[in-house]
PDB file of all heavy atoms in Angstrom:
ATOM      1  N   SER A  64       0.622  25.122  -4.409  1.00  0.00           N
ATOM      2  CA  SER A  64      -0.412  24.310  -5.157  1.00  0.00           C
ATOM      3  C   SER A  64      -0.232  22.886  -4.798  1.00  0.00           C
ATOM      4  O   SER A  64       0.800  22.354  -4.173  1.00  0.00           O
ATOM      5  CB  SER A  64      -0.337  24.477  -6.593  1.00  0.00           C
ATOM      6  OG  SER A  64       0.975  24.177  -7.092  1.00  0.00           O
ATOM      7  N   VAL A  65      -1.116  22.032  -4.984  1.00  0.00           N
ATOM      8  CA  VAL A  65      -1.128  20.608  -4.813  1.00  0.00           C
ATOM      9  C   VAL A  65       0.008  19.953  -5.694  1.00  0.00           C
ATOM     10  O   VAL A  65       0.707  19.126  -5.192  1.00  0.00           O
ATOM     11  CB  VAL A  65      -2.512  19.855  -5.154  1.00  0.00           C
ATOM     12  CG1 VAL A  65      -2.399  18.524  -4.777  1.00  0.00           C
ATOM     13  CG2 VAL A  65      -3.647  20.576  -4.414  1.00  0.00           C
ATOM     14  N   MET A  66       0.021  20.423  -6.926  1.00  0.00           N
ATOM     15  CA  MET A  66       1.239  19.868  -7.750  1.00  0.00           C
ATOM     16  C   MET A  66       2.635  20.128  -7.195  1.00  0.00           C
ATOM     17  O   MET A  66       3.478  19.347  -7.150  1.00  0.00           O
ATOM     18  CB  MET A  66       1.094  20.392  -9.125  1.00  0.00           C
ATOM     19  CG  MET A  66       2.141  19.941 -10.163  1.00  0.00           C
ATOM     20  SD  MET A  66       1.820  20.423 -11.853  1.00  0.00           S
ATOM     21  CE  MET A  66       0.333  19.550 -12.174  1.00  0.00           C
ATOM     22  N   ASN A  67       2.847  21.362  -6.796  1.00  0.00           N
ATOM     23  CA  ASN A  67       4.119  21.692  -6.284  1.00  0.00           C
ATOM     24  C   ASN A  67       4.417  20.905  -4.895  1.00  0.00           C
ATOM     25  O   ASN A  67       5.497  20.584  -4.672  1.00  0.00           O
ATOM     26  CB  ASN A  67       4.269  23.257  -6.041  1.00  0.00           C
ATOM     27  CG  ASN A  67       4.252  23.972  -7.371  1.00  0.00           C
ATOM     28  OD1 ASN A  67       4.724  23.437  -8.368  1.00  0.00           O
ATOM     29  ND2 ASN A  67       3.804  25.229  -7.367  1.00  0.00           N
ATOM     30  N   TYR A  68       3.422  20.791  -4.048  1.00  0.00           N
ATOM     31  CA  TYR A  68       3.542  20.246  -2.827  1.00  0.00           C
ATOM     32  C   TYR A  68       3.887  18.606  -2.988  1.00  0.00           C
ATOM     33  O   TYR A  68       4.811  18.074  -2.256  1.00  0.00           O
ATOM     34  CB  TYR A  68       2.300  20.336  -1.989  1.00  0.00           C
ATOM     35  CG  TYR A  68       2.386  19.817  -0.544  1.00  0.00           C
ATOM     36  CD1 TYR A  68       3.196  20.540   0.506  1.00  0.00           C
ATOM     37  CD2 TYR A  68       2.035  18.514  -0.207  1.00  0.00           C
ATOM     38  CE1 TYR A  68       3.350  20.035   1.711  1.00  0.00           C
ATOM     39  CE2 TYR A  68       2.226  17.916   1.044  1.00  0.00           C
ATOM     40  CZ  TYR A  68       2.799  18.828   1.967  1.00  0.00           C
ATOM     41  OH  TYR A  68       2.907  18.227   3.254  1.00  0.00           O
ATOM     42  N   TYR A  69       3.154  18.135  -3.948  1.00  0.00           N
ATOM     43  CA  TYR A  69       3.542  16.635  -4.199  1.00  0.00           C
ATOM     44  C   TYR A  69       4.820  16.444  -4.867  1.00  0.00           C
ATOM     45  O   TYR A  69       5.502  15.424  -4.634  1.00  0.00           O
ATOM     46  CB  TYR A  69       2.297  15.958  -4.985  1.00  0.00           C
ATOM     47  CG  TYR A  69       2.410  14.525  -4.873  1.00  0.00           C
ATOM     48  CD1 TYR A  69       1.975  13.871  -3.744  1.00  0.00           C
ATOM     49  CD2 TYR A  69       2.890  13.733  -5.836  1.00  0.00           C
ATOM     50  CE1 TYR A  69       2.127  12.304  -3.655  1.00  0.00           C
ATOM     51  CE2 TYR A  69       3.065  12.424  -5.812  1.00  0.00           C
ATOM     52  CZ  TYR A  69       2.602  11.743  -4.759  1.00  0.00           C
ATOM     53  OH  TYR A  69       2.691  10.352  -4.788  1.00  0.00           O
ATOM     54  N   SER A  70       5.090  17.489  -5.746  1.00  0.00           N
ATOM     55  CA  SER A  70       6.458  17.317  -6.233  1.00  0.00           C
ATOM     56  C   SER A  70       7.565  17.408  -5.222  1.00  0.00           C
ATOM     57  O   SER A  70       8.722  16.729  -5.451  1.00  0.00           O
ATOM     58  CB  SER A  70       6.627  18.471  -7.315  1.00  0.00           C
ATOM     59  OG  SER A  70       5.765  18.323  -8.344  1.00  0.00           O
ATOM     60  N   LYS A  71       7.431  18.223  -4.093  1.00  0.00           N
ATOM     61  CA  LYS A  71       8.282  18.321  -3.178  1.00  0.00           C
ATOM     62  C   LYS A  71       8.437  16.918  -2.379  1.00  0.00           C
ATOM     63  O   LYS A  71       9.543  16.438  -2.052  1.00  0.00           O
ATOM     64  CB  LYS A  71       7.989  19.376  -2.170  1.00  0.00           C
ATOM     65  CG  LYS A  71       8.867  19.521  -0.920  1.00  0.00           C
ATOM     66  CD  LYS A  71       8.326  20.571  -0.035  1.00  0.00           C
ATOM     67  CE  LYS A  71       7.250  19.841   0.817  1.00  0.00           C
ATOM     68  NZ  LYS A  71       6.858  20.782   2.010  1.00  0.00           N
ATOM     69  N   LEU A  72       7.262  16.308  -2.184  1.00  0.00           N
ATOM     70  CA  LEU A  72       7.354  15.031  -1.479  1.00  0.00           C
ATOM     71  C   LEU A  72       7.994  13.981  -2.366  1.00  0.00           C
ATOM     72  O   LEU A  72       8.782  13.033  -1.740  1.00  0.00           O
ATOM     73  CB  LEU A  72       5.904  14.435  -1.247  1.00  0.00           C
ATOM     74  CG  LEU A  72       4.993  15.387  -0.173  1.00  0.00           C
ATOM     75  CD1 LEU A  72       3.736  14.729  -0.036  1.00  0.00           C
ATOM     76  CD2 LEU A  72       5.787  15.376   1.202  1.00  0.00           C
ATOM     77  N   ARG A  73       7.793  13.946  -3.677  1.00  0.00           N
ATOM     78  CA  ARG A  73       8.494  13.018  -4.606  1.00  0.00           C
ATOM     79  C   ARG A  73      10.046  13.297  -4.564  1.00  0.00           C
ATOM     80  O   ARG A  73      10.883  12.317  -4.508  1.00  0.00           O
ATOM     81  CB  ARG A  73       7.974  13.089  -5.888  1.00  0.00           C
ATOM     82  CG  ARG A  73       6.496  12.858  -6.053  1.00  0.00           C
ATOM     83  CD  ARG A  73       5.863  12.954  -7.476  1.00  0.00           C
ATOM     84  NE  ARG A  73       6.383  11.830  -8.263  1.00  0.00           N
ATOM     85  CZ  ARG A  73       5.957  11.752  -9.647  1.00  0.00           C
ATOM     86  NH1 ARG A  73       5.162  12.649 -10.090  1.00  0.00           N
ATOM     87  NH2 ARG A  73       6.357  10.606 -10.311  1.00  0.00           N
ATOM     88  N   ARG A  74      10.415  14.641  -4.491  1.00  0.00           N
ATOM     89  CA  ARG A  74      11.806  14.837  -4.379  1.00  0.00           C
ATOM     90  C   ARG A  74      12.525  14.454  -3.004  1.00  0.00           C
ATOM     91  O   ARG A  74      13.622  14.034  -2.978  1.00  0.00           O
ATOM     92  CB  ARG A  74      12.008  16.323  -4.625  1.00  0.00           C
ATOM     93  CG  ARG A  74      13.499  16.877  -4.604  1.00  0.00           C
ATOM     94  CD  ARG A  74      14.098  16.357  -5.910  1.00  0.00           C
ATOM     95  NE  ARG A  74      13.567  16.974  -7.072  1.00  0.00           N
ATOM     96  CZ  ARG A  74      14.076  16.763  -8.394  1.00  0.00           C
ATOM     97  NH1 ARG A  74      15.204  16.046  -8.447  1.00  0.00           N
ATOM     98  NH2 ARG A  74      13.517  17.316  -9.436  1.00  0.00           N
ATOM     99  N   MET A  75      11.719  14.542  -1.982  1.00  0.00           N
ATOM    100  CA  MET A  75      12.175  14.225  -0.589  1.00  0.00           C
ATOM    101  C   MET A  75      12.281  12.576  -0.568  1.00  0.00           C
ATOM    102  O   MET A  75      13.073  12.114   0.051  1.00  0.00           O
ATOM    103  CB  MET A  75      11.143  14.594   0.484  1.00  0.00           C
ATOM    104  CG  MET A  75      11.259  16.119   0.639  1.00  0.00           C
ATOM    105  SD  MET A  75       9.848  16.605   1.665  1.00  0.00           S
ATOM    106  CE  MET A  75      10.249  15.658   3.288  1.00  0.00           C
ATOM    107  N   THR A  76      11.465  11.936  -1.303  1.00  0.00           N
ATOM    108  CA  THR A  76      11.478  10.379  -1.336  1.00  0.00           C
ATOM    109  C   THR A  76      12.693  10.019  -2.059  1.00  0.00           C
ATOM    110  O   THR A  76      13.398   9.018  -1.665  1.00  0.00           O
ATOM    111  CB  THR A  76      10.219   9.872  -1.800  1.00  0.00           C
ATOM    112  OG1 THR A  76       9.079  10.401  -1.133  1.00  0.00           O
ATOM    113  CG2 THR A  76      10.101   8.405  -1.732  1.00  0.00           C
ATOM    114  N   SER A  77      12.943  10.525  -3.320  1.00  0.00           N
ATOM    115  CA  SER A  77      14.027  10.038  -4.108  1.00  0.00           C
ATOM    116  C   SER A  77      14.515  11.411  -4.881  1.00  0.00           C
ATOM    117  O   SER A  77      13.933  11.898  -5.789  1.00  0.00           O
ATOM    118  CB  SER A  77      13.579   9.084  -5.118  1.00  0.00           C
ATOM    119  OG  SER A  77      14.604   8.600  -6.125  1.00  0.00           O
ATOM    120  N   SER A  78      15.709  11.916  -4.354  1.00  0.00           N
ATOM    121  CA  SER A  78      16.182  13.072  -4.970  1.00  0.00           C
ATOM    122  C   SER A  78      16.751  12.838  -6.420  1.00  0.00           C
ATOM    123  O   SER A  78      16.839  13.778  -7.065  1.00  0.00           O
ATOM    124  CB  SER A  78      17.186  13.720  -4.012  1.00  0.00           C
ATOM    125  OG  SER A  78      18.199  12.702  -3.864  1.00  0.00           O
ATOM    126  N   MET A  79      17.196  11.550  -6.592  1.00  0.00           N
ATOM    127  CA  MET A  79      17.816  11.322  -7.887  1.00  0.00           C
ATOM    128  C   MET A  79      16.740  10.903  -8.880  1.00  0.00           C
ATOM    129  O   MET A  79      16.981  11.300 -10.095  1.00  0.00           O
ATOM    130  CB  MET A  79      18.868  10.222  -7.752  1.00  0.00           C
ATOM    131  CG  MET A  79      20.056  10.592  -6.802  1.00  0.00           C
ATOM    132  SD  MET A  79      20.973  12.059  -7.460  1.00  0.00           S
ATOM    133  CE  MET A  79      21.608  11.205  -8.938  1.00  0.00           C
ATOM    134  N   PHE A  80      15.819  10.217  -8.477  1.00  0.00           N
ATOM    135  CA  PHE A  80      14.796   9.697  -9.507  1.00  0.00           C
ATOM    136  C   PHE A  80      13.369   9.976  -8.967  1.00  0.00           C
ATOM    137  O   PHE A  80      12.660   9.054  -8.499  1.00  0.00           O
ATOM    138  CB  PHE A  80      15.011   8.155  -9.597  1.00  0.00           C
ATOM    139  CG  PHE A  80      16.398   7.738 -10.145  1.00  0.00           C
ATOM    140  CD1 PHE A  80      17.231   7.127  -9.064  1.00  0.00           C
ATOM    141  CD2 PHE A  80      16.748   7.864 -11.336  1.00  0.00           C
ATOM    142  CE1 PHE A  80      18.632   6.838  -9.533  1.00  0.00           C
ATOM    143  CE2 PHE A  80      18.009   7.582 -11.767  1.00  0.00           C
ATOM    144  CZ  PHE A  80      19.048   7.032 -10.802  1.00  0.00           C
ATOM    145  N   PRO A  81      12.934  11.199  -8.978  1.00  0.00           N
ATOM    146  CA  PRO A  81      11.598  11.553  -8.440  1.00  0.00           C
ATOM    147  C   PRO A  81      10.460  11.010  -9.274  1.00  0.00           C
ATOM    148  O   PRO A  81       9.394  10.860  -8.825  1.00  0.00           O
ATOM    149  CB  PRO A  81      11.578  13.102  -8.269  1.00  0.00           C
ATOM    150  CG  PRO A  81      12.573  13.495  -9.288  1.00  0.00           C
ATOM    151  CD  PRO A  81      13.633  12.462  -9.242  1.00  0.00           C
ATOM    152  N   HIS A  82      10.848  10.710 -10.588  1.00  0.00           N
ATOM    153  CA  HIS A  82       9.735  10.320 -11.384  1.00  0.00           C
ATOM    154  C   HIS A  82       9.356   8.911 -11.254  1.00  0.00           C
ATOM    155  O   HIS A  82       8.310   8.429 -11.745  1.00  0.00           O
ATOM    156  CB  HIS A  82      10.241  10.440 -12.897  1.00  0.00           C
ATOM    157  CG  HIS A  82      11.480   9.571 -13.356  1.00  0.00           C
ATOM    158  ND1 HIS A  82      12.720  10.195 -12.857  1.00  0.00           N
ATOM    159  CD2 HIS A  82      11.632   8.440 -13.840  1.00  0.00           C
ATOM    160  CE1 HIS A  82      13.645   9.185 -13.296  1.00  0.00           C
ATOM    161  NE2 HIS A  82      12.935   8.202 -13.930  1.00  0.00           N
TER     162      HIS A  82
END
Side-chain angles (χ1 to χ4, degrees):
S64 64
V65 182
M66 180 175 293
N67 292 337
Y68 185 81
Y69 194 77
S70 298
K71 183 188 73 172
L72 294 179
R73 300 177 76 176
R74 182 71 63 176
M75 292 172 58
T76 305
S77 177
S78 60
M79 296 297 295
F80 306 101
H82 61 282

